[in-house]
């Protein structure tokens, strides 16, 4: 729980990792393995896959930034 809260507070994307990266700008519908997010104009998402066992989604929404972790830990 503490780790999840820390990750939500640290939603500013760090320097790009060695793995793949994709950027999406609204309006868009972005789908992960177990979720879908609808982004309006002016909202954006960066999907970073460091090539390990998780993917990070850095989002900039109308009500502020947030981070989604999708993985096995």
């Amino acid at each position: 729980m503490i780790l999840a809260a820390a990750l939500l507070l640290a939603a500013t994307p760090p320097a790009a990792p060695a793995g793949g990266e994709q950027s999406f700008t609204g309006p868009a519908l972005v789908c992960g393995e177990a979720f879908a997010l609808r982004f309006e104009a002016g909202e954006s998402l960066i999907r970073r896959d460091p090539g390990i066992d998780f993917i990070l989604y850095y989002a900039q929404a109308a009500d502020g930034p947030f981070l989604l972790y999708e993985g096995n830990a």
Side-chain angles (χ1 to χ4, degrees), residues 24-30 37-45 60-62:
F24 304 89
T25 302
L29 177 66
V30 180
L37 294 172
R38 186 176 311 277
F39 286 91
E40 300 298 329
E43 299 179 325
S44 62
L45 181 83
Q60 181 63 46

Side-chain angles (χ1 to χ4, degrees), residues 2-71:
I2 294 172
L3 177 60
L7 288 174
L8 287 173
L9 292 175
T12 304
E21 179 175 304
Q22 293 178 297
S23 294
F24 304 89
T25 302
L29 177 66
V30 180
C31 299
E33 287 293 322
F35 69 89
L37 294 172
R38 186 176 311 277
F39 286 91
E40 300 298 329
E43 299 179 325
S44 62
L45 181 83
I46 298 174
R47 177 188 184 271
R48 293 203 175 142
D49 183 352
I52 307 173
D53 66 346
F54 61 89
I55 298 172
L56 297 174
Y57 298 88
Y58 295 93
Q60 181 63 46
D63 59 350
F66 64 93
L67 173 74
L68 288 174
Y69 167 92
E70 185 175 57

